Amino acid sequence: MITFHDVSKSFITNNGQKIKAVDQVNLTIQAGEIFGIIGFSGAGKSTLLRLINGLELPSSGSVEVAGQNLAQLSANELAKARQNVSMIFQQFHLLWSRTVIENVQLPLEIIGTPKTQSLQKAKELIELVGLAGLEDKYPSELSGGQKQRVGIARALANDPKILLCDEATSALDPQTTQEILELLININKRLKITIVLITHEMDVIQQICDHVAVMSDGRIIEMGEVVDIFKHPQHTLTRQMVQSTGIDMNESLIDLWAQYSNVYPKGTLIQLTFDEQTVDLPIVTALSQKYDIPISIVYAQIHTLKTDNLGKMIIHIEVEEAQLKQLLQSFINAGVQAEVIDHE
Amino acid sequence: MNNNPSLFEQYTNFDRVNWEKILSATYETLFMTCFATLAVFFLGITVGYLLYRTTQRSHKKTIVAQFLSGIVNLFRAIPFLNLIVLLIPVTKLLLNTITGPAAALPALILSATPFFARMVETGLRDIDRGVLEVADAMGMTAWQKFSKVYFPESLPTIVSGITSTAIALVGYTAMAGVIGAGGLGNLAYLEGFQRNNATVTLVATFIILVIVFLIQWTGDILVRKIDKR
Ligand SMILES: Nc1ncnc2c1ncn2[C@@H]1O[C@H](COP(=O)(O)OP(=O)(O)OP(=O)(O)O)[C@@H](O)[C@H]1O
Ligand SMILES: [Mg+2]
């Protein structure tokens, strides 16, 4: 759906300096997925997003959207191509001079949709985003969450193929953020719209994205399936971000291990990692009964990603070497990753 | 007859007031104000929009921008009285007369347009930049952007701007009396000053005040009604 080939974008600042906002980016976004871009302020995320709807053109490299290279389009063709791409923003950017329904109708006015038709469509969309009854309110009379819903309805009005979200939930409280994220997933599923969202919150990525790219200083430093990034973050920055969500898959567990090795000076600590298939099976209990050994659960946590549930568990046992080997093998056979983290 | 009328009598000698003259002078003042305001409204929005567009970040400070800005500042600096006298030959050429309410119009419009254009420019600058980005992302044409974003989103500033402008214009029409433009100011000058008729001056002043208050009141109500921010 969207392909970046070696895309760079530079700006000349007011004092004549050259800034590379986007630097040699290659990426592919599949039709129908939710793709997240995460990075700190100034990483170049918004610029990357603006390259997708042609508000910026690349300094070098090429951006292909729905099979069209944006830089090669005439002004007319570009305007038409933009009809396929909509955008929502952190600060909503609604027209205060228009009511809710008039805001939603705006994109339809631009393409000359007849009045009755556009009214019908706007009503449907307002219903879809859960604002029925508020059609004639002005944005100043709405809460942040409601404003963002208007933004979403407006963005959907011209039946786009792609929805770009620039920090769409950053100005909202956690509860409202949840609601908006659910709405986005809903839209992605029901309307089959490809969503590209940028954020500085890993929680958002965790909850709704299929793929994620981590950006720093204009470059993509890490990219892949969200589950993989959460399981095996490569870059320090990514690791920090993953940790910030409280899904302490790696580094921070080391502290836990240290802690528990004191509590359990004897025996073995084993870390188990469950995936979607195994996370809700009673494997530990089953094996405990099968081999008739007591297994104490030291630590357990399940994290819900969009595509996967990830379970982490630390167990403690005191058994013979041979039985330990057997037990580990049984875990692996059951599809659970088992790792000895502390032994005697 | 009392040869030495008291101050009170000087101001309340309504027998010497020619109400017909007052009425027609009021009409002339209203005509000049309304016509000039209307013209300034359209001209000022156009000039204000051009001022704004040519100095936007995406444009370089072009020659057009500097030229426009220079002209605007120039006309804002010329005192109205000088301007009206300065324009006499032009007015004669345009209207074939240099007296009567119409003759005041070129000077009124020329002096008020820069004043109002600057206010329009400020209003446009105050529009949320994000909203303009939305407009671009939607693929709006320049005219759509003007009619759907620039104009409605800066309307409160435009309305309060044109209100102040109209009030200033009422004051200018009084000064236009010097070239015999008619109106209440002219009447106060001819009757009140030259013929020593303070009552006429008082009445004329009162009517001018009423006009000014009416304009202010209408403007305030309009702004309150349209400003949904
Ligand atoms: N039009 C522009 N002119 C000059 N510099 C720009 C322009 N747009 C962006 N930049 C610069 O490019 C860099 C990346 O900006 P960008 O807005 O893409 O970052 P971001 O990741 O979206 O940050 P944030 O999280 O703060 O929104 C910044 O250093 C910014 O100052
Ligand atoms: Mg940004």
Side-chain angles (χ1 to χ4, degrees):
Chain A
M1 190 53 125
I2 302 165
T3 318
F4 278 57
H5 288 295
D6 283 330
V7 174
S8 296
K9 175 72 190 179
S10 317
F11 293 107
I12 309 291
T13 60
N14 286 338
N15 51 27
Q17 275 178 332
K18 197 171 149 178
I19 295 186
K20 262 201 169 173
V22 170
D23 195 2
Q24 300 265 309
V25 165
N26 285 290
L27 63 80
T28 303
I29 297 173
Q30 310 289 344
E33 75 166 317
I34 302 186
F35 191 99
I37 298 166
I38 186 164
F40 292 124
S41 191
K45 306 181 297 292
S46 297
T47 308
L48 191 79
L49 216 56
R50 292 158 57 84
L51 284 161
I52 297 176
N53 66 3
L55 278 183
E56 305 284 2
L57 291 175
S59 311
S60 68
S62 70
V63 178
E64 236 180 64
V65 176
Q68 285 178 305
N69 182 340
L70 295 185
Q72 287 169 359
L73 299 181
S74 68
N76 256 343
E77 291 167 325
L78 186 61
K80 207 167 279 169
R82 275 189 192 147
Q83 298 300 328
N84 288 325
V85 187
S86 281
M87 198 159 173
I88 59 174
F89 307 83
Q90 177 175 5
Q91 299 301 338
F92 324 120
H93 299 333
L94 303 176
L95 298 186
W96 61 258
S97 56
R98 288 179 166 234
T99 60
V100 167
I101 196 157
E102 287 167 349
N103 264 290
V104 177
Q105 284 175 287
L106 184 62
L108 297 169
E109 286 169 27
I110 304 307
I111 52 175
T113 311
K115 260 263 153 63
T116 48
Q117 218 170 308
S118 98
L119 210 63
Q120 172 72 22
K121 175 97 195 180
K123 279 207 176 117
E124 281 170 26
L125 286 168
I126 289 170
E127 180 96 45
L128 175 80
V129 299
L131 289 182
L134 300 182
E135 287 85 354
D136 297 324
K137 292 260 184 244
Y138 282 89
S140 60
E141 302 171 280
L142 303 179
S143 72
Q146 290 171 327
K147 282 183 199 161
Q148 193 57 288
R149 286 170 193 269
V150 179
I152 292 172
R154 177 177 69 181
L156 296 177
N158 50 2
D159 295 318
K161 297 196 181 83
I162 298 168
L163 177 63
L164 308 176
C165 312
D166 193 338
E167 304 269 7
T169 58
S170 299
L172 305 175
D173 63 59
Q175 167 74 27
T176 316
T177 297
Q178 286 309 317
E179 290 168 14
I180 296 294
L181 291 182
E182 271 157 36
L183 178 61
L184 288 177
I185 293 188
N186 195 354
I187 285 163
N188 169 252
K189 280 197 191 127
R190 272 173 63 176
L191 308 176
K192 310 257 175 301
I193 292 178
T194 309
I195 296 182
V196 184
L197 69 85
I198 63 182
T199 178
H200 55 258
E201 294 165 318
M202 202 64 176
D203 292 325
V204 172
I205 301 281
Q206 169 207 339
Q207 287 177 59
I208 76 168
C209 293
D210 299 290
H211 286 89
V212 60
V214 182
M215 258 188 117
S216 170
D217 284 332
R219 290 174 170 272
I220 289 184
I221 55 172
E222 199 163 345
M223 181 159 54
E225 284 195 33
V226 173
V227 198
D228 292 336
I229 299 283
F230 268 85
K231 279 185 188 158
H232 314 288
Q234 301 297 316
H235 207 276
T236 343
L237 188 68
T238 320
R239 227 170 284 151
Q240 280 167 14
M241 284 170 172
V242 169
Q243 273 170 33
S244 73
T245 62
I247 306 186
D248 28 24
M249 293 293 169
N250 293 280
E251 303 256 292
S252 60
L253 274 187
I254 290 171
D255 303 337
L256 274 174
W257 300 339
Q259 206 176 314
Y260 292 124
S261 351
N262 294 336
V263 182
Y264 302 96
K266 287 171 72 182
T268 312
L269 282 176
I270 302 173
Q271 177 185 293
L272 304 175
T273 308
F274 299 84
D275 62 14
E276 182 77 352
Q277 275 78 44
T278 54
V279 75
D280 44 7
L281 299 179
I283 294 170
V284 176
T285 326
L287 290 179
S288 166
Q289 281 164 4
K290 185 176 167 194
Y291 295 108
D292 193 23
I293 42 172
I295 300 181
S296 25
I297 295 170
V298 176
Y299 167 92
Q301 198 167 5
I302 296 175
H303 297 289
T304 312
L305 304 185
K306 185 196 174 200
T307 51
D308 248 331
N309 289 318
L310 273 183
K312 283 273 168 173
M313 190 185 280
I314 298 177
I315 56 172
H316 176 258
I317 46 172
E318 286 188 50
V319 288
E320 298 288 300
E321 198 71 25
Q323 211 174 9
L324 178 65
K325 281 224 171 78
Q326 204 176 17
L327 190 65
L328 289 175
Q329 192 55 48
S330 305
F331 274 121
I332 289 161
N333 291 347
V336 178
Q337 205 182 311
E339 222 179 313
V340 174
I341 53 178
D342 195 19
H343 190 39
E344 293 305 312
Chain B
M1 265 234 175
N2 193 342
N3 286 334
N4 271 327
S6 72
L7 203 60
F8 181 74
E9 280 167 338
Q10 286 183 45
Y11 281 114
T12 53
N13 194 350
F14 290 105
D15 297 342
R16 281 186 65 198
V17 176
N18 181 339
W19 292 103
E20 235 158 75
K21 269 191 182 169
I22 296 271
L23 199 70
S24 75
T26 306
Y27 167 76
E28 283 162 355
T29 292
L30 285 176
F31 166 81
M32 285 188 280
T33 308
C34 291
F35 197 100
T37 303
L38 202 71
V40 168
F41 181 76
F42 288 107
L43 273 173
I45 287 178
T46 312
V47 175
Y49 177 74
L50 289 176
L51 277 171
Y52 168 75
R53 289 302 303 234
T54 49
T55 50
Q56 257 179 320
R57 253 221 306 194
S58 50
H59 291 251
K60 292 240 164 57
K61 248 215 166 210
T62 51
I63 300 174
V64 185
Q66 277 167 2
F67 177 75
L68 211 60
S69 192
I71 297 266
V72 164
N73 288 341
L74 183 74
F75 275 96
R76 236 161 45 136
I78 302 178
F80 180 71
L81 222 47
N82 291 50
L83 188 67
I84 200 166
V85 178
L86 205 62
L87 279 180
I88 285 177
V90 180
T91 308
K92 197 166 185 184
L93 192 75
L94 281 176
L95 302 167
N96 216 8
T97 171
I98 57 159
T99 55
L105 288 176
L108 289 173
I109 293 169
L110 256 182
S111 64
T113 298
F115 177 69
F116 177 55
R118 283 293 184 200
M119 294 196 231
V120 172
E121 190 194 1
T122 311
L124 293 173
R125 277 192 207 291
D126 285 345
I127 295 177
D128 178 14
R129 278 194 62 210
V131 168
L132 299 175
E133 185 170 335
V134 171
D136 286 331
M138 281 182 191
M140 284 193 199
T141 62
W143 170 246
Q144 285 171 332
K145 234 168 122 172
F146 177 80
S147 62
K148 294 183 190 299
V149 183
Y150 284 128
F151 185 70
E153 293 283 299
S154 61
L155 199 55
T157 314
I158 291 179
V159 172
S160 65
I162 201 67
T163 306
S164 312
T165 308
I167 289 171
L169 278 169
V170 174
Y172 288 168
T173 59
M175 282 193 258
V178 292
I179 60 154
L184 289 164
N186 198 25
L187 186 72
Y189 175 71
L190 291 178
E191 297 277 323
F193 179 63
Q194 293 189 336
R195 295 198 197 154
N196 211 7
N197 186 345
T199 311
V200 169
T201 311
L202 185 70
V203 170
T205 309
F206 178 75
I207 297 176
I208 287 180
L209 281 179
V210 169
I211 294 175
V212 167
F213 283 134
L214 275 179
I215 294 173
Q216 188 69 57
W217 182 72
T218 317
D220 287 349
I221 285 187
L222 266 178
V223 170
R224 217 171 309 140
K225 204 169 147 54
I226 55 179
D227 197 346
K228 306 286 186 189
R229 277 177 288 195

